[in-house]
Amino acid sequence: MRHRVVAVVGSIQEMYPVTCASAVFGYHGPDIPQHYDFALCTEKPGPVRTTVGVDIIVERGLEALEDADTILLAGWCLCPDLVSGLAEGVLAAHARGARVMAICGGIYVPASLGLLDGRTAAIHWELTADLARQYPRVRTDAGVLYVDHGDVATAGASATTVDLCLNQVRREHGAALAMRIGRQLSAAPHREGCQRQYPQLPTTGPIPDSLAPLLDWITANLDHPLTIEDMAVHSGLSPRTLSRHFTDQLGVSPGRWLLDRRIASTRALLEETDLPVETIAQRVGLSSAVNLRRRFHKALHTTPAAYRRSFR
């Protein structure tokens, strides 16, 4: 029998992760083996409103979870206290060996059931603080495409749905099949990089008035080998007081803020110019191409060259 993948949808449903999953687990023509069946279910069968402004007709209710081999929870609206019976269905399916895949806000379901306690989970960077507050036993990571524990897998952003689904194909049927399906979808069977390429870094956003002049000065002198002592002298504070202000007002140390700003500037130059990496390293104050590549890879889990290819 084919592996049954059942996606749980709810109003108002974002269609992108659902259609991505159906593209991977659906029919690919007579030349590619079909190992999966893909279906939808919802709390109340019938019309389900979507974010594209039209309804989809879902014929099966949550009883579809009873014979699912993989349950896909894809969307921002899924939460056990909002959808009656969902928690029980997912927990029972997991207990009998079904795989649970949670994408975007779908992560709240396995988190609330304790399936992610003590485990790392990929999460959308906008949800990190809220999930940590509600479920502190989950080790969230907003900097990876997905995390797969076998029985439970998570992906933080809608755009990583294909990555997570192809990963399942690769685990169950090998890299060759994942490559064939990925090639048909024009998607890599294993993509470099992580979510950190796309969300804002901690150095962006509202700047406290008391630190604004200093942060402007740092940004203007980014190509210089700045130290916390240099920042303290410019701001007229002691290094210890300056560090306290950064931590209280920005949530990071001065050194962390400076490095994040340098990485952010590196990203912009890679996206918008053809400058060689050595030149970029000098402009952002990372001294050499070797140091830039090391720092960049540690921050984004990809290389400057791969990052530039992704955007240009």
Side-chain angles (χ1 to χ4, degrees):
M1 295 179 62
R2 293 177 183 148
H3 186 108
R4 296 175 296 273
V5 179
V6 177
V8 183
V9 297
S11 188
I12 299 175
Q13 178 65 43
E14 181 189 6
M15 288 306 299
Y16 183 76
V18 175
T19 55
C20 284
S22 68
V24 173
F25 295 125
Y27 178 67
H28 298 281
D31 296 329
I32 297 181
Q34 186 174 1
H35 295 288
Y36 300 92
D37 283 328
F38 184 82
L40 303 179
C41 78
T42 189
E43 180 191 17
K44 297 178 180 179
V48 174
R49 198 67 175 168
T50 70
T51 56
V52 296
V54 297
D55 293 349
I56 57 173
I57 304 301
V58 181
E59 297 179 347
R60 300 190 67 184
L62 295 178
E63 71 280 354
L65 302 180
E66 296 174 3
D67 60 2
D69 298 303
T70 291
I71 296 173
L72 179 70
L73 304 161
W76 298 96
C77 56
L78 297 174
C79 189
D81 58 358
L82 297 179
V83 182
S84 61
L86 177 58
E88 294 81 359
V90 171
L91 199 58
H94 178 267
R96 62 172 170 76
R99 174 176 165 86
V100 178
M101 296 172 63
I103 299 166
C104 299
I107 192 176
Y108 283 90
V109 178
S112 69
L113 298 175
L115 301 181
L116 293 172
D117 286 357
R119 296 170 124 182
T120 300
I123 188 172
H124 193 281
W125 52 279
E126 288 185 328
L127 300 178
T128 304
D130 182 65
L131 195 85
R133 182 173 58 255
Q134 293 194 49
Y135 306 106
R137 298 187 63 185
V138 180
R139 297 196 297 265
T140 58
D141 190 343
V144 292
L145 294 175
Y146 57 81
V147 175
D148 190 349
H149 295 288
D151 63 321
V152 181
T154 53
S158 298
T160 61
T161 304
V162 170
D163 300 281
L164 181 57
C165 294
L166 285 175
N167 172 67
Q168 177 163 339
V169 175
R170 186 171 59 250
R171 286 175 59 116
E172 296 175 346
H173 299 286
L177 181 60
M179 179 71 76
R180 293 178 69 184
I181 294 175
R183 185 180 294 118
Q184 192 176 69
L185 302 177
S186 296
H190 183 72
R191 184 155 56 105
E192 287 188 89
C194 60
Q195 289 188 71
R196 286 197 190 99
Q197 290 174 262
Y198 307 105
Q200 296 178 329
L201 288 169
T203 51
T204 60
I207 295 176
D209 291 339
S210 61
L211 287 177
L214 174 62
L215 300 186
D216 289 342
W217 177 79
I218 292 173
T219 302
N221 291 275
L222 211 57
D223 57 328
H224 291 74
L226 300 175
T227 66
I228 188 172
E229 286 75 18
D230 297 328
M231 301 180 204
V233 169
H234 183 81
S235 61
L237 301 171
S238 69
R240 177 175 295 182
T241 301
L242 180 63
S243 295
R244 187 173 67 252
H245 284 345
F246 263 78
T247 302
D248 292 344
Q249 299 182 46
L250 293 175
V252 294
S253 68
R256 179 75 258 176
W257 194 95
L258 175 60
L259 179 59
D260 285 346
R261 175 51 57 195
R262 283 175 166 155
I263 295 297
S265 296
T266 299
R267 287 166 54 179
L269 290 171
L270 288 171
E271 293 174 23
E272 299 168 7
T273 75
D274 294 315
L275 292 173
V277 173
E278 186 68 47
T279 301
I280 293 176
Q282 296 296 327
R283 288 198 179 188
V284 302
L286 289 175
S287 71
S288 69
V290 172
N291 187 42
L292 184 148
R293 290 189 180 98
R294 180 172 63 85
R295 299 281 191 177
F296 196 85
H297 192 277
K298 185 175 182 180
L300 301 179
H301 301 278
T302 189
T303 65
Y307 183 87
R308 174 171 268 166
R309 285 195 301 270
S310 297
F311 284 89
R312 309 197 70 203

